[in-house]
């Protein structure tokens, strides 16, 4: 059975394979980041934090339409993976994205999805 997305014969380019394997870093932590952001609610929270630099847990719960306990759980998850940071101000806890890398990652992923959506719309 032939498919258009597979080689018709197996040819291993050993020099290329060895070169790439030597340069390939440990990607486990990167995979954890993408797993965290693969959750739609956490991604929505992260994107909200690209719009507003800092949000309290109560505001996040309103934005995502959940309880403060649920919002707090998702925010702690992001913080535990170093994607977000928190600070207490009186009785409120505020969250922000950990750094510009996380901000850019979320924005770039969104831009890519929009562009791909536009392409899909053009081909339909």
């Amino acid at each position: 059975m032939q498919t258009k997305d597979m080689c018709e014969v197996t040819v291993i380019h050993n020099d290329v394979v060895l070169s790439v394997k030597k340069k390939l870093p440990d990607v486990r932590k990167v995979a954890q980041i993408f797993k965290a952001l693969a959750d739609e609610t956490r991604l929505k929270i992260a994107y909200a934090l690209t719009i507003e630099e800092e949000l309290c847990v109560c505001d996040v719960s309103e934005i995502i339409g959940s309880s403060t306990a649920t919002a707090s759980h998702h925010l702690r998850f992001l913080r535990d993976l170093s994607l977000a940071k928190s600070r207490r101000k009186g009785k409120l806890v505020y969250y922000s994205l950990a750094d510009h890398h996380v901000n850019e990652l979320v924005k770039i992923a969104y831009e890519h999805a929009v562009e791909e959506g536009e392409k899909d719309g053009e081909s339909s």
Side-chain angles (χ1 to χ4, degrees):
M1 181 168 133
Q2 281 186 322
T3 63
K4 292 181 180 183
D5 60 352
M6 290 179 55
C7 297
E8 292 180 26
V9 296
T10 301
V11 177
I12 306 298
H13 301 91
N14 286 322
D15 54 335
V16 174
V17 171
L18 290 173
S19 174
V20 170
K21 280 185 167 184
K22 284 181 189 176
K23 296 173 185 173
L24 198 61
D26 182 353
V27 295
R28 286 178 283 196
K29 287 186 179 185
V30 177
Q32 287 297 99
I33 290 170
F34 282 107
K35 281 182 187 178
L37 296 175
D39 178 88
E40 193 173 331
T41 300
R42 286 192 290 268
L43 185 56
K44 189 181 285 187
I45 292 168
Y47 197 86
L49 290 169
T50 71
I51 297 168
E52 188 65 37
E53 189 173 322
E54 187 175 66
L55 293 166
C56 76
V57 176
C58 301
D59 291 340
V60 170
S61 71
E62 281 296 311
I63 290 166
I64 65 172
S66 75
S67 67
T68 54
T70 297
S72 181
H73 167 77
H74 285 297
L75 287 160
R76 275 194 315 273
F77 190 90
L78 293 171
R79 186 190 64 207
D80 290 347
L81 288 174
S82 300
L83 297 173
K85 57 188 177 184
S86 64
R87 71 176 182 89
R88 179 175 287 281
K89 185 175 180 183
K91 295 184 178 186
L92 300 175
V93 177
Y94 288 87
Y95 279 84
S96 59
L97 294 177
D99 59 30
H100 73 279
H101 297 111
V102 179
N103 188 301
E104 290 301 309
L105 184 63
V106 171
K107 285 181 179 177
I108 290 168
Y110 178 76
E111 289 169 13
H112 177 73
V114 168
E115 288 172 5
E116 288 303 305
E118 289 171 356
K119 286 181 192 175
D120 290 345
E122 291 172 1
S123 65
S124 299

